[in-house]
Amino acid sequence: MSAGAQCASIRLEVIPVTVSHDASPALPSGRKWSLRGLVPELWASLSIAVIWLSVLFTGVYGPDIVISNSSGLSKIPSVIVVVVFAYLATRVIARFGFGQRDVPPQT
């Protein structure tokens, strides 16, 4: 048998095959990709960074609190008051910005 006859006797079969893939994971709470920059974690991080930068600049450039009493003058750095409120604000922002959402657990 010649090579041309062997090629003519080969029969090709096409078997249709379907493969099902898992559904692509959706973004939490149905967000679109265009809204990806509006995630709460980003804004919470940015807010906390700005709070502590203001504490830094208050500590470096801020005035002192001067208290006058019968024994003389007392000076307290104003950054101490700012630190207390910055700490409280950081706790609140972190709780709401980084807290758990109603996203089902992934296995």
Side-chain angles (χ1 to χ4, degrees):
M1 206 183 262
S2 69
Q6 286 180 339
C7 288
S9 67
I10 296 175
R11 185 173 162 219
L12 297 174
E13 286 186 39
V14 177
I15 302 171
V17 177
T18 59
V19 177
S20 64
H21 296 283
D22 292 336
S24 63
L27 293 172
S29 69
R31 291 188 192 130
K32 296 180 180 179
W33 281 106
S34 62
L35 299 177
R36 191 71 173 160
L38 299 176
V39 291
E41 291 86 2
L42 172 82
W43 296 112
S45 307
L46 186 64
S47 300
I48 291 171
V50 168
I51 287 170
W52 288 102
L53 280 174
S54 68
V55 170
L56 172 73
F57 288 120
T58 303
V60 173
Y61 299 111
D64 292 336
I65 298 172
V66 180
I67 300 172
S68 176
N69 53 20
S70 60
S71 64
L73 296 175
S74 298
K75 288 186 176 182
I76 301 172
S78 62
V79 73
I80 293 186
V81 176
V82 175
V83 164
V84 171
F85 289 108
Y87 171 74
L88 294 173
T90 300
R91 298 243 341 191
V92 170
I93 292 171
R95 176 169 291 164
F96 289 107
F98 302 122
Q100 293 292 328
R101 294 186 177 61
D102 52 354
V103 177
Q106 296 180 0
T107 55

